[in-house]
Amino acid sequence: MWQQYRQLTYSSALIWFTAFLWLSSLLGLSVEATADESVLIGEVGRQNNQSLLWGPYKPNLYFGVRPRIPKSLAVSLMWGRVDTYQDIQNSIRYTCEQNAGMKGYGWDEFDTRRGGVQSIHDIENGIDITTSLVKIPGGAHGGSWAARIKGELKEDAPQDRKTTLFFYVSQEGDGNLESIPSDDDFGYQEDITLKGSSEGLGNYKLVFTRGTGIQPKSDHPLSSERGEGQTVVQALTFPDEVQWQAKPIVFKQLKEGVDWLVANKFDNENAPPPWQVYQLANKPGSGNVQIVQKIFEGSFEFDVLFSSESAGKELTPTDLTREIKEATESFGERFSSVFSLKAPFTAEKYKKFGRSMFSNLIGGIGYFYGQSVVDRSYAPEYDEENEGFWEEAAEARARNRQQLEGPYELFTSIPSRPFFPRGFLWDEGFHLLPIVDWDIDLAMEVVKSWFNLIDEDGWIAREQILGDEARSKVPDEFQTQYPHYANPPTLFFVLNSFVEKLQKSNGTLPAGREHFSQYLPLSSASIDNPEIGLEYLRRLYPLLRRQFDWFRKTQAGDVKSYDRKAYSSKEAYRWRGRTESHCLTSGLDDYPRPQPPHPGELHVDLMSWMGVMAKLLSNVASALGMPEEVAELDKVRDAIEHNLDDLHWSEKEGCYCDATIDDFEENELVCHKGYISLFPFLTGLVKPDSPKLGRILDLIGDEEELWSPYGIRSLSKRSEFYGTAENYWRSPIWININYLAIVQLHTIATQDGPHQEKARGLYTRLRKNIVDTVYNSWEETGFAWEQYNPETGQGQRTQHFTGWTSLVVKIMAMNDLEGKQHVRDEL
């Protein structure tokens, strides 16, 4: 029923519009494309916003639901064991944390528009928690949603284990929120109901069901003062700026309860059982914070039902049961269709692995709102024009001229829930590549959110730390953003996929309107109806061009001053923000660069990124019918491709290299073989017939250089810097770079050319090595990892790194070329 309702809700606007077109043609009326299609575009946009309004958009929490509305309702879960008086201090789970006694956690299946199922394996607390979330459309405020919380004790846990759960419900901004009292002053034996209203959500009801499970009992005298295990609620009021601090607020209330016990002589000689000591007093009523507490002995299950009044129907546990079943069936079928895994990854274990990896990627999408710390002092030292510029820039930063800006909002897919729960610009493009295949309109919504942050010059901060809650996870020295710092523009990869899909769906662009569908799924409305996609590009293109021009202006390298011989005197680039040991803005942090830093440096990876930008902009301009823009951008791209060879290729080393200025003021190539050396190849700027390609492939496949049984190393084994210092990008295997290599190897392997067979062999081996590396570590630890050890293949650094490591799903879905020759296929 609900699935039919979803289709009808969305298709009603399309049916109306199609009928309008038919009637207009029947009556001989003129139909202006831009005016008529704007109706459809507007309605699709509204429906898209509605279907994406709610979600687990607080991904820094094990379970936190909120809408994409600033200062709104948020509902989050915390739990812990209370078998002893000391348990509560260390066992409470709320924010995702590294090394917190978990054997893995995350979404087993998830679709942003429907919901999914998450499993949390809490080893230290001896319990497995399952959170099932579904979204049900209807009404004018984003529909309703429901969650089922299930706790099952592990076999080795005491079967009378006491678990306390707190649901922390907060309402920021204007709005009302109250808990309805029960007949029992001590608490609730049945359901708890909260009622609220706000401008963005209208009127709503939030019900916490009684569910199943044993509520512990106590004959201690305290039971006559507080009750004996009933569900309780406390209504509180806090300023908006502190509401995010749920755990300290809950602990404050618990401490007040303990202090009351001490004051009333419930001391060690007459102590209640631990679970009762940490039971809150029941105080329902009005307040912008409501804490709902349940205590169970053994396993349990209950539901949380959010019903929007405008939807016209209140949800029931029966509705939730049906929706969970339908969502699970739908996800399984769709995953198999979208990501059709190819040999040798067709076994059920890889399918389960793939579903988990993708679900945690898309389930890691969050909504963030708040102020950002920015230094717009535009100190002259930030131009980095003098030798020793990094020291001058450090002195300028030490003046602490940063200020709060905003508030801003961002809808983004995060790299890691426990360690990086915020938006990262260069990560985002990789995150969205699998999401493009699943729900391209969702991916484009994320891209749009990022470009809404662009300033008038064309700058987007590389790390989005919005609000106090986000900043609480970031050391002070990394919070300030600088408007002369760039970051790899990986969102252009995503837009390139978008343009390619538009071309495939609509023939050759631009072609105008070729068809309208009455039943367009929201996940692909912009592709199924190309005019919607073209309108998206029309609105976005000026921002893309602004960012490109900002890069060319602020990250320009110097060709003329040092009499460098190059095809173009304009196309050369240098990352700003370098220090002696790091180039954080490049995304490759501690990867070796020329020493000491010099204002005459040129960076081959940045030049490659500029080629990616020019290519995409030209494709978009062509789709939009802008021939002068196409001609200009193609000229820039041609100059970049020539200058990559003229300024960065080392015939001696057989690879691309950074350039600097030596003691004699002469150009010098500095070759640290590794990921940097491959960037023109990784970004598709080396053609299959390039005379340089053979040596690049040799470098990739050399076991004494970059090749390992687990993937391509970030730095050559022969480098003096291999595995040294921080060793972040100085040996480990990174999945995003290996993915780019696999894509380009596939391209070479499926086109006729002198290196086709070598590329095919490398592609086949690397594809299998990368998948096995990530899978084996996931199977052993329960986590995806930030990087992998090139000597052992073990995951390391940040755990639950389900950002670009999830590209393994796309890798498994790529063609198996083993034993095949002259295969052609488009990615």
Side-chain angles (χ1 to χ4, degrees):
M1 181 184 71
W2 288 109
Q3 189 171 9
Q4 294 173 338
Y5 181 78
R6 283 187 178 92
Q7 289 182 326
L8 290 172
T9 300
Y10 174 64
S11 63
S12 60
L14 304 178
I15 295 172
W16 176 90
F17 184 67
T18 305
F20 172 75
L21 290 176
W22 174 80
L23 182 60
S24 299
S25 63
L26 184 67
L27 298 176
L29 300 177
S30 173
V31 180
E32 286 290 333
T34 55
D36 296 340
E37 287 160 2
S38 66
V39 176
L40 178 62
I41 292 168
E43 180 59 20
V44 169
R46 189 187 72 81
Q47 294 282 352
N48 195 51
N49 288 335
Q50 290 284 299
S51 73
L52 295 175
L53 182 68
W54 284 102
Y57 295 150
K58 291 178 71 70
N60 60 312
L61 310 182
Y62 289 111
F63 187 70
V65 180
R66 67 161 299 162
R68 295 197 304 162
I69 300 175
K71 291 185 175 295
S72 189
L73 182 72
V75 182
S76 52
L77 170 68
M78 65 181 79
W79 74 92
R81 68 178 185 272
V82 281
D83 286 337
T84 72
Y85 298 108
Q86 292 75 36
D87 282 342
I88 199 79
Q89 299 176 32
N90 300 310
S91 74
I92 291 292
R93 313 296 195 204
Y94 180 59
T95 54
C96 300
E97 302 292 344
Q98 290 234 117
N99 307 313
M102 296 284 184
K103 175 64 175 177
Y105 60 88
W107 296 96
D108 303 314
E109 57 193 49
F110 190 76
D111 182 340
T112 311
R113 299 186 193 272
R114 294 205 64 167
V117 178
Q118 177 182 221
S119 297
I120 304 168
H121 305 291
D122 189 348
I123 298 295
E124 282 194 2
N125 282 326
I127 193 168
D128 290 327
I129 301 286
T130 303
T131 63
S132 302
L133 175 70
V134 297
K135 297 162 59 173
I136 301 173
H141 299 96
S144 303
W145 59 267
R148 177 159 292 161
I149 312 301
K150 184 177 182 179
E152 291 186 289
L153 293 185
K154 293 185 171 295
E155 291 183 0
D156 58 351
Q159 293 307 294
D160 62 349
R161 163 136 308 161
K162 312 300 189 298
T163 302
T164 183
L165 301 98
F166 302 93
F167 261 97
Y168 182 85
V169 184
S170 60
Q171 171 71 64
E172 293 181 337
D174 296 332
N176 300 307
L177 183 62
E178 64 174 331
S179 43
I180 308 303
S182 71
D183 295 334
D184 183 351
D185 291 339
F186 291 152
Y188 300 75
Q189 295 292 347
E190 300 300 328
D191 299 349
I192 289 183
T193 299
L194 307 185
K195 290 185 176 180
S197 65
S198 68
E199 181 179 356
L201 299 176
N203 296 327
Y204 59 83
K205 181 180 289 187
L206 191 60
V207 175
F208 297 83
T209 68
R210 166 65 177 84
T212 59
I214 300 171
Q215 291 181 340
K217 301 295 182 182
S218 168
D219 58 4
H220 190 276
L222 179 60
S223 298
S224 63
E225 300 283 343
R226 281 193 185 174
E228 49 174 3
Q230 299 97 322
T231 301
V232 299
V233 59
Q234 281 199 357
L236 308 165
T237 299
F238 287 94
D240 286 357
E241 58 267 23
V242 301
Q243 284 187 28
W244 65 272
Q245 300 182 61
K247 193 171 180 179
I249 287 175
V250 168
F251 271 61
K252 175 179 177 294
Q253 300 309 115
L254 289 172
K255 183 179 183 302
E256 287 183 3
V258 172
D259 290 344
W260 181 90
L261 291 176
V262 173
N264 286 272
K265 309 301 182 184
F266 293 104
D267 52 20
N268 290 337
E269 295 182 2
N270 189 29
W275 64 264
Q276 199 168 22
V277 168
Y278 298 113
Q279 182 181 26
L280 295 173
N282 187 52
K283 297 179 181 179
S286 180
N288 60 10
V289 168
Q290 304 276 337
I291 302 173
V292 176
Q293 182 186 23
K294 287 177 173 287
I295 302 174
F296 291 101
E297 179 180 310
S299 300
F300 56 84
E301 179 179 300
F302 64 93
D303 298 338
V304 183
L305 309 171
F306 174 91
S307 299
S308 173
E309 183 177 286
S310 66
K313 180 184 184 299
E314 293 187 8
L315 298 183
T316 67
T318 301
D319 294 329
L320 176 54
T321 299
R322 180 189 62 250
E323 287 295 310
I324 292 173
K325 180 176 182 294
E326 291 181 1
T328 295
E329 293 173 351
S330 171
F331 179 86
E333 293 172 1
R334 189 149 178 251
F335 183 86
S336 297
S337 173
V338 173
F339 300 108
S340 178
L341 306 189
K342 307 297 194 301
F345 309 115
T346 56
E348 183 58 35
K349 68 176 185 179
Y350 290 113
K351 295 176 184 178
K352 178 183 177 182
F353 167 59
R355 289 193 294 265
S356 172
M357 292 295 292
F358 176 75
S359 295
N360 282 291
L361 169 68
I362 201 168
I365 291 177
Y367 173 83
F368 301 89
Y369 176 81
Q371 292 182 305
S372 179
V373 181
V374 181
D375 178 352
R376 289 193 186 271
S377 63
Y378 298 104
E381 294 90 340
Y382 292 160
D383 293 335
E384 301 184 7
E385 294 177 344
N386 303 321
E387 294 187 26
F389 65 82
W390 66 96
E391 296 172 337
E392 297 174 349
E395 292 174 1
R397 290 195 298 271
R399 297 181 198 130
N400 293 319
R401 300 287 299 279
Q402 65 270 19
Q403 295 181 337
L404 289 172
E405 289 189 358
Y408 304 116
E409 59 182 331
L410 180 65
F411 190 49
T412 181
S413 173
I414 64 169
S416 167
R417 290 170 65 184
F419 205 75
F420 298 114
R422 53 192 178 276
F424 287 80
L425 183 56
W426 105 282
D427 296 60
E428 189 74 86
F430 291 110
H431 296 175
L432 293 180
L433 288 174
I435 296 175
V436 159
D437 296 335
W438 179 267
D439 188 332
I440 194 162
D441 286 9
L442 169 62
M444 292 304 102
E445 191 75 10
V446 173
V447 170
K448 181 176 70 175
S449 184
W450 273 97
F451 277 95
N452 283 342
L453 296 170
I454 197 168
D455 72 5
E456 60 184 10
D457 296 321
W459 172 70
I460 301 175
R462 67 189 186 91
E463 189 171 346
Q464 297 294 329
I465 313 168
L466 304 182
D468 291 336
E469 185 172 9
R471 279 192 289 278
S472 70
K473 299 283 285 189
V474 184
D476 291 344
E477 61 267 28
F478 295 113
Q479 291 184 13
T480 301
Q481 305 298 302
Y482 298 89
H484 62 291
Y485 283 6
N487 216 207
T490 57
L491 292 178
F492 282 67
F493 282 154
V494 182
L495 289 163
N496 189 65
S497 294
F498 182 61
V499 172
E500 288 179 352
K501 289 179 182 292
L502 269 176
Q503 291 170 332
K504 290 178 182 179
S505 72
N506 198 41
T508 303
L509 294 174
R513 182 179 68 249
E514 290 191 358
H515 68 277
F516 286 97
S517 171
Q518 296 183 16
Y519 297 98
L520 305 181
L522 278 172
S523 60
S524 59
S526 60
I527 299 300
D528 294 334
N529 190 321
E531 190 55 40
I532 296 177
L534 286 172
E535 180 61 23
Y536 179 93
L537 292 176
R538 288 188 194 102
R539 296 178 181 181
L540 190 62
Y541 183 82
L543 304 181
L544 300 175
R545 183 60 200 253
R546 189 193 305 174
Q547 189 183 42
F548 179 65
D549 292 341
W550 176 86
F551 264 89
R552 296 188 77 201
K553 177 182 178 181
T554 65
Q555 310 298 303
D558 193 341
V559 175
K560 296 180 181 178
S561 298
Y562 302 103
D563 196 28
R564 285 167 159 146
K565 302 295 188 263
Y567 177 85
S568 167
S569 63
K570 295 181 179 179
E571 299 308 319
Y573 296 93
R574 170 171 66 98
W575 294 109
R576 301 311 195 263
R578 257 215 72 183
T579 66
E580 283 189 292
S581 59
H582 288 79
C583 186
L584 296 176
T585 50
S586 72
L588 304 180
D589 295 22
D590 67 334
Y591 191 99
R593 301 282 185 169
Q595 292 293 343
H598 193 281
E601 274 182 35
L602 301 177
H603 297 136
V604 65
D605 52 330
L606 179 51
M607 176 84 96
S608 303
W609 287 120
M610 297 306 296
V612 169
M613 297 178 85
K615 179 180 179 181
L616 179 277
L617 283 168
S618 176
N619 290 342
V620 175
S622 177
L624 297 178
M626 306 165 69
E628 293 181 357
E629 287 276 304
V630 173
E632 177 188 349
L633 292 161
D634 285 349
K635 183 178 179 180
V636 171
R637 183 177 65 171
D638 179 67
I640 288 172
E641 291 178 352
H642 278 88
N643 276 14
L644 277 169
D645 291 343
D646 292 349
L647 296 172
H648 293 287
W649 176 260
S650 170
E651 190 63 31
K652 176 184 176 182
E653 298 293 338
C655 65
Y656 290 96
C657 310
D658 284 341
T660 190
I661 301 301
D662 64 17
D663 294 339
F664 303 100
E665 294 294 298
E666 297 288 336
N667 184 66
E668 179 184 23
L669 291 176
V670 179
C671 300
H672 297 293
K673 292 183 179 180
Y675 287 167
I676 291 291
S677 316
L678 305 178
F679 253 88
F681 170 74
L682 298 172
T683 51
L685 299 178
V686 177
K687 296 179 174 59
D689 59 354
S690 169
K692 298 174 174 55
L693 180 58
R695 299 185 72 179
I696 294 173
L697 297 182
D698 288 343
L699 176 60
I700 291 174
D702 190 337
E703 294 182 6
E704 295 304 313
E705 298 273 16
L706 303 185
W707 188 268
S708 87
Y710 309 106
I712 300 173
R713 309 170 193 270
S714 45
L715 190 65
S716 169
K717 283 180 67 176
R718 292 196 175 107
S719 172
E720 63 180 301
F721 298 105
Y722 183 79
T724 61
E726 186 182 350
N727 193 24
Y728 199 41
W729 291 85
R730 294 190 174 194
S731 74
I733 294 162
W734 292 81
I735 303 306
N736 61 329
I737 302 298
N738 277 266
Y739 168 78
L740 293 179
I742 290 169
V743 169
Q744 294 306 320
L745 288 170
H746 182 277
T747 298
I748 304 302
T750 54
Q751 297 183 33
D752 292 333
H755 306 293
Q756 184 180 26
E757 287 307 305
K758 178 180 286 187
R760 183 176 61 82
L762 290 172
Y763 165 84
T764 299
R765 293 161 58 206
L766 183 58
R767 176 172 173 260
K768 185 175 190 309
N769 288 352
I770 285 295
V771 172
D772 285 347
T773 295
V774 180
Y775 172 79
N776 289 339
S777 196
W778 175 82
E779 179 68 17
E780 178 184 353
T781 67
F783 292 106
W785 294 83
E786 183 180 14
Q787 55 180 221
Y788 293 84
N789 189 293
E791 315 305 330
T792 66
Q794 292 181 330
Q796 58 188 33
R797 293 267 181 171
T798 303
Q799 66 178 202
H800 208 289
F801 198 89
T802 50
W804 62 39
T805 300
S806 298
L807 286 165
V808 70
V809 178
K810 282 184 70 71
I811 295 172
M812 289 192 292
M814 293 173 71
N815 289 326
D816 173 26
L817 301 184
E818 187 170 14
K820 298 180 181 179
Q821 297 183 1
H822 305 296
V823 177
R824 288 184 177 84
D825 187 42
E826 295 183 8
L827 287 179

